[in-house]
Amino acid sequence: MNRLVNYEVLKNTKINQTTYILELKGPTSWINPGKFLNIQIPDKYLKRPMSVYDWNKNSLKVLYKLIGEGTKILSTIKPKQQLEILTDLGNTYTLAKDKKQLIVCGGCGMGSVYRLASQLTAKKIDITIIVGFKTKADVFVLNEWKKVCKNLIITTDDGSYGFKGTVVDAINKYKLNNLYYYTCGSINLMKAVYKCMKSEGQLSLEARMGCGFGACMGCTIETKHGPKRICADGPIFNSKELLW
């Protein structure tokens, strides 16, 4: 059930030129992989939706990138400040039973799937993770990922780190098109992954949101089963539902 809660900022750590990890103290019992929250940015009317990257009993972490005025303001928030947050939003990933599976994400899309990867590894699923970046300067949070996945492929568009090319190039190179998959990232990345895969998967869609819980209908998309709201019916959709 959605709850409006004040969380205390513990850390707001810059991990590269444009990316931060925000650590917040507060309730976490509502979280499962794929869930998101809406953060009230000081002096801004609309809250900003963000995936929960990691959590424990007392705190959670949010991975975010500087994109507009809202995230720039968020990057200035200091420890001990309070942030009003709408919690328990969205649905969660459904774990498939396939013995081999694929996770594909780009940049801060990592925030949605890190704990999913941990759960799959704990269930002895053989997972391959492909993470795409533009260049070496954008690469981050690799050590944690190496702990949850032995088959980690980092791609950069310019080849300055890891595999040279896009995530789709890597999927095709290593012939991973038939694996059950999960993906999160920019809409262009997810559409490209969707079109290159021959198998079923789950996609965590991103959208600008008004309320975050389905009342305003502002993030509605057309699916094979009619209109659906990304915030309330998603953000995770089965690939078979999409009209891409």
Side-chain angles (χ1 to χ4, degrees), residues 192-207:
V193 171
Y194 171 87
K195 290 177 180 179
C196 88
M197 297 299 292
K198 300 176 182 178
S199 54
E200 183 181 350
Q202 296 172 50
L203 300 91
S204 182
L205 304 188
E206 298 181 348

Side-chain angles (χ1 to χ4, degrees), residues 152-173:
L152 177 64
I153 301 170
I154 304 299
T155 74
T156 51
D157 293 347
D158 61 3
S160 55
Y161 189 99
F163 179 93
K164 182 178 181 179
T166 67
V167 294
V168 170
D169 292 331
I171 290 171
N172 292 329
K173 170 71 175 180

Side-chain angles (χ1 to χ4, degrees), residues 28-37 50-55 61 88-95 103 109-123 145 182-184 202-204 234-237:
T28 61
S29 60
W30 57 273
I31 309 173
N32 280 301
K35 283 280 190 178
F36 72 95
L37 45 74
M50 296 185 184
S51 298
V52 181
Y53 174 65
D54 198 9
W55 64 90
K61 293 180 180 179
D88 200 7
L89 300 175
N91 59 1
T92 63
Y93 291 102
T94 300
L95 301 188
I103 293 176
M110 297 173 79
S112 173
V113 293
Y114 172 65
R115 286 296 288 267
L116 167 67
S118 298
Q119 285 191 1
L120 292 172
T121 298
K123 290 183 175 294
W145 282 76
Y182 314 83
T183 185
C184 185
Q202 296 172 50
L203 300 91
S204 182
I236 299 159
F237 292 86

Side-chain angles (χ1 to χ4, degrees), residues 10-72:
L10 297 176
K11 296 179 182 179
N12 196 11
T13 307
K14 185 176 183 179
I15 58 177
N16 67 22
Q17 291 184 345
T18 60
T19 311
Y20 289 73
I21 293 181
L22 177 66
E23 187 171 353
L24 301 165
K25 181 180 179 181
T28 61
S29 60
W30 57 273
I31 309 173
N32 280 301
K35 283 280 190 178
F36 72 95
L37 45 74
N38 250 358
I39 300 178
Q40 184 64 62
I41 306 295
D43 301 321
K44 293 294 178 181
Y45 178 69
L46 293 178
K47 296 180 175 64
R48 268 45 176 191
M50 296 185 184
S51 298
V52 181
Y53 174 65
D54 198 9
W55 64 90
N56 57 35
K57 291 182 178 180
N58 302 307
S59 65
L60 60 85
K61 293 180 180 179
V62 172
L63 184 66
Y64 70 96
K65 186 173 183 177
L66 299 183
I67 296 175
E69 291 184 11
T71 47
K72 287 180 181 178

